[in-house]
């Protein structure tokens, strides 16, 4: 496995800190609204990262937080005239529904910031006692000038940053780029802390949750590339101050989703929410995986529908193979090995192990589908159909592409054989009637 590391700007061989275990943290959403299709990309991609490691035999601890304290939450709650808690509960539920809709697992640790206030306060105390943070009138700020290599993740130099961002200054800060660890507040949800009644800063929430849930440096920290600065830079700065390490060995960032059609872009207010995706969500998942994760993903209705149609074809072949095998009660047999299929399987795994190169992996997957389509047209090719089907099934499960198929009942099988008999006896009327029923059940395409 090789992974591109934003910190080193290099693709590096992956070596987990503990043998056989991968610890991953991905920044989760701020829960004040539905997620849009741009937010869907990390939800899908990092789920595929987890699945790939699991396939490779690692035990994966995957944590992704829910930011349920934020200025945006306070503002939105006011607008909607609900409590902050009601608002965040609603959008946490909505988020988890969307994650499931996109075919990603929700069965990971998803800590809420409000459940980690004590460890967050303890973490800020450590930043203060290590001399990297200071209190100013009830607020706590991180002193970026104290950290020699502040800016290494985003590759920004302190001097050039300060010049461009004078607007970040306020009276309490020593440097314009000093960021908030604790904010004294009068408004919205607040908690008692040694400095004031207030709430934590976003950058501290994540690093403190990582410290609290993993207790050490992690293998992979992930998120969208828009989080590199300031969010991830500042998370890392605090880990350097408190624990003298870079928080994660590998920092992974997915590229943006860009909406090609001007009319649909965010600036015009026409956000596309995941909940409103009205095509097969697996087609949408395939669409996001069709582009290498670090590259921008260009969204248009045409681009999406190409993948939705592609997914329909994949699904059809997969289902046909499943039923063809189940009809002869051959699905649970152990497949034989065929070099032409093994090589595609290996190419698929190689592509996934090469910094999760999903477009190359898809090429190998399509080649397996092509073999399946050929073999499905032949008589008595069930052994090779089984081998190709099992391989395709593995590829689907690594990519999180799901097709729900029910095993055939005795009735289904009888009907299928009756249809075959009717065709053989040239009783086309009966054959047509049975074909229709079998198609309805999804057994025939
Ligand atoms: Zn974060």
């Amino acid at each position: 496995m090789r992974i591109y590391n934003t910190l080193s700007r290099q693709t590096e061989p992956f070596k987990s800190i503990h043998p056989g275990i991968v610890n991953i943290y991905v920044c989760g959403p701020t829960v004040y609204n539905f997620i849009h299709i741009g937010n869907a990309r990390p939800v899908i991609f990092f789920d595929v990262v987890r699945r790939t490691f699991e396939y490779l035999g690692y035990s994966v601890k995957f944590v992704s937080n829910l930011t349920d304290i934020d200025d945006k939450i306070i503002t939105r709650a006011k607008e909607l005239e609900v409590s902050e808690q009601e608002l965040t509960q609603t959008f946490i539920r909505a988020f988890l529904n969307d994650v499931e809709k996109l075919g990603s697992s929700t069965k990971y640790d998803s800590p809420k910031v409000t459940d980690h206030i004590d460890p967050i306060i303890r973490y800020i105390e450590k930043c203060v006692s290590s001399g990297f943070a200071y209190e100013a009138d009830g607020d706590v700020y991180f002193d970026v000038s104290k950290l020699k290599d502040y800016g290494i993740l985003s590759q920004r130099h302190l001097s050039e940053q300060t010049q461009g961002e004078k607007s970040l200054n306020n009276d309490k800060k020593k440097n314009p780029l000093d960021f908030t660890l604790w904010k004294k507040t009068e408004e919205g949800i607040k908690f008692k802390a040694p400095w004031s009644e207030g709430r934590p800063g976003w950058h501290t929430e994540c690093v403190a949750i990582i410290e609290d849930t993993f207790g050490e440096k992690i293998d992979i920290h992930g998120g969208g590339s828009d989080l590199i600065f300031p969010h991830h830079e500042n998370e890392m700065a605090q880990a350097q101050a408190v624990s003298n390490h870079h928080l994660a060995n590998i920092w992974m960032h997915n590229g943006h989703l860009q909406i090609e059609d001007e009319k649909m872009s965010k600036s015009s207010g026409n956000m596309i929410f995941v909940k409103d995706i009205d095509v097969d969500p697996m087609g949408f998942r395939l669409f996001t995986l069709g582009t290498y994760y670090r590259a921008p993903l260009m969204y248009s209705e045409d681009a999406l529908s190409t993948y939705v149609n592609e997914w329909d074809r994949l699904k059809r072949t997969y289902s046909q193979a499943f039923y063809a095998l189940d009809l002869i009660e051959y699905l649970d047999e152990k497949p034989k090995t065929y070099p032409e299929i093994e090589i595609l399987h290996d190419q698929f795994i190689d592509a996934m192990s090469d910094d999760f190169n999903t477009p190359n992996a898809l090429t190998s997957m399509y080649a397996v589908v092509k073999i399946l389509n050929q073999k499905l047209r032949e008589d008595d090719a069930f052994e090779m159909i089984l081998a190709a089907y099992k391989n395709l099934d593995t590829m689907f499960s690594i990519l999180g592409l799901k097709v729900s198929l029910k095993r055939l009942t005795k009735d289904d099988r009888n009907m299928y054989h009756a249809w075959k008999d009717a065709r053989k006896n040239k009783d086309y009327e009966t054959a047509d009637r049975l074909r229709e029923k079998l198609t309805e059940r999804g057994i025939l395409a």
Side-chain angles (χ1 to χ4, degrees):
M1 172 63 75
R2 286 154 45 80
I3 304 178
Y4 181 84
N5 189 355
T6 307
L7 181 58
S8 66
R9 297 299 198 266
Q10 268 170 2
T11 305
E12 302 173 357
F14 176 76
K15 190 172 180 296
S16 63
I17 295 170
H18 303 288
I21 297 169
V22 186
N23 288 328
I24 305 177
Y25 181 88
V26 177
C27 295
T30 303
V31 282
Y32 69 104
N33 200 352
F34 297 104
I35 62 162
H36 56 77
I37 54 172
N39 307 132
R41 198 177 188 192
V43 167
I44 293 169
F45 175 68
F46 287 104
D47 183 65
V48 171
V49 169
R50 181 184 57 78
R51 287 166 186 274
T52 306
F53 276 120
E54 281 174 353
Y55 175 80
L56 295 174
Y58 287 93
S59 152
V60 181
K61 181 171 178 182
F62 189 94
V63 179
S64 187
N65 72 315
L66 296 161
T67 301
D68 61 347
I69 303 176
D70 193 272
D71 288 347
K72 288 186 278 242
I73 291 170
I74 298 168
T75 312
R76 191 89 207 281
K78 268 197 195 158
E79 273 169 23
L80 299 176
E81 298 180 340
V82 293
S83 73
E84 289 152 69
Q85 219 184 8
E86 277 174 278
L87 182 83
T88 56
Q89 270 170 4
T90 303
F91 286 113
I92 286 172
R93 263 197 308 273
F95 172 69
L96 295 175
N97 282 340
D98 286 345
V99 173
E100 269 181 15
K101 177 177 177 175
L102 294 168
S104 294
S105 172
T106 53
K107 290 180 186 62
Y108 53 82
D109 192 1
S110 47
K112 286 189 280 185
V113 171
T114 48
D115 291 336
H116 285 75
I117 295 298
D118 288 343
I120 291 170
I121 291 174
R122 283 201 298 274
Y123 199 85
I124 298 172
E125 284 175 325
K126 283 189 217 169
C127 286
V128 175
S129 64
S130 66
F132 284 87
Y134 58 92
E135 191 203 335
D137 187 27
D139 291 351
V140 178
Y141 296 101
F142 191 92
D143 187 346
V144 296
S145 71
K146 289 273 166 71
L147 199 65
K148 223 175 43 254
D149 53 1
Y150 182 75
I152 45 162
L153 182 66
S154 54
Q155 294 198 337
R156 293 176 171 220
H157 296 290
L158 206 53
S159 52
E160 63 181 75
Q161 290 176 38
T162 317
Q163 270 176 3
E165 312 198 23
K166 281 265 193 278
S167 60
L168 291 176
N169 213 345
N170 76 25
D171 295 344
K172 298 184 192 174
K173 289 184 187 177
K174 291 183 187 169
N175 306 297
L177 278 175
D178 288 356
F179 57 89
T180 311
L181 279 61
W182 187 263
K183 184 178 173 180
K184 179 180 162 185
T185 55
E186 259 91 65
E187 222 185 355
I189 192 165
K190 44 181 180 285
F191 306 88
K192 276 202 178 80
W195 316 283
S196 64
E197 269 199 286
R199 58 177 190 271
W202 176 37
H203 314 313
T204 307
E205 293 165 0
C206 281
V207 66
I209 287 175
I210 290 172
E211 162 86 12
D212 194 44
T213 47
F214 293 100
E216 59 178 349
K217 190 180 190 184
I218 57 174
D219 292 295
I220 295 172
H221 192 313
S225 55
D226 53 329
L227 296 182
I228 296 174
F229 188 87
H231 185 51
H232 288 170
E233 189 74 68
N234 290 348
E235 276 188 47
M236 186 192 283
Q238 294 165 89
Q240 287 175 273
V242 169
S243 316
N244 200 25
H245 61 56
H246 287 130
L247 187 58
N249 271 344
I250 294 186
W251 289 77
M252 287 179 78
H253 295 98
N254 64 273
H256 295 277
L257 178 141
Q258 269 168 264
I259 295 181
E260 276 188 331
D261 186 344
E262 267 293 303
K263 278 177 276 174
M264 293 166 79
S265 73
K266 192 177 160 186
S267 54
S268 67
N270 260 332
M271 296 246 264
I272 307 163
F273 293 119
V274 169
K275 72 177 173 69
D276 297 328
I277 293 175
D278 56 1
V279 295
D280 186 333
M282 290 299 109
F284 180 84
R285 191 171 173 106
L286 186 68
F287 159 69
T288 68
L289 298 175
T291 300
Y292 175 47
Y293 78 95
R294 290 179 53 223
L297 175 60
M298 307 305 281
Y299 176 88
S300 66
E301 281 184 359
D302 283 351
L304 176 60
S305 77
T306 302
Y307 279 94
V308 170
N309 293 336
E310 194 60 61
W311 171 243
D312 277 345
R313 276 193 290 275
L314 290 173
K315 197 167 57 176
R316 202 177 312 133
T317 302
Y318 178 91
S319 309
Q320 274 176 19
F322 174 91
Y323 289 126
L325 294 164
D326 198 17
L327 275 169
I328 56 166
E329 296 181 63
Y330 201 67
L331 254 181
D332 302 319
E333 296 299 315
K334 197 174 174 296
K336 288 186 182 165
T337 35
Y338 294 88
E340 59 267 59
I341 296 172
E342 286 309 299
I343 201 166
L344 294 172
H345 167 85
D346 293 348
Q347 281 170 2
F348 179 92
I349 299 300
D350 285 350
M352 293 306 288
S353 305
D354 180 17
D355 197 26
F356 305 93
N357 192 326
T358 50
N360 284 355
L362 291 185
T363 304
S364 307
M365 189 172 88
Y366 293 141
V368 174
V369 171
K370 196 175 163 194
I371 292 178
L372 258 184
N373 280 329
Q374 280 164 359
K375 294 296 153 189
L376 281 164
R377 282 194 295 269
E378 291 172 16
D379 286 331
D380 296 331
F382 53 89
E383 284 186 331
M384 196 153 174
I385 291 173
L386 181 71
Y389 166 80
K390 293 277 182 188
N391 264 286
L392 183 61
D393 189 56
T394 301
M395 293 171 178
F396 273 17
S397 80
I398 291 172
L399 299 176
L401 295 166
K402 256 176 274 179
V403 187
S404 325
L405 299 174
K406 279 200 197 89
R407 296 293 283 258
L408 296 174
T409 61
K410 211 173 157 199
D411 264 4
D412 293 331
R413 283 201 186 90
N414 290 340
M415 199 191 293
Y416 180 81
H417 291 299
W419 168 68
K420 280 207 135 178
D421 288 346
R423 281 211 314 179
K424 213 196 290 171
N425 301 331
K426 305 199 166 139
D427 177 359
Y428 295 117
E429 207 177 303
T430 309
D432 282 352
R433 189 172 48 77
L434 291 171
R435 163 170 260 290
E436 206 172 297
K437 281 193 175 169
L438 288 161
T439 310
E440 247 170 59
R441 296 192 190 186
I443 300 165
L444 291 179

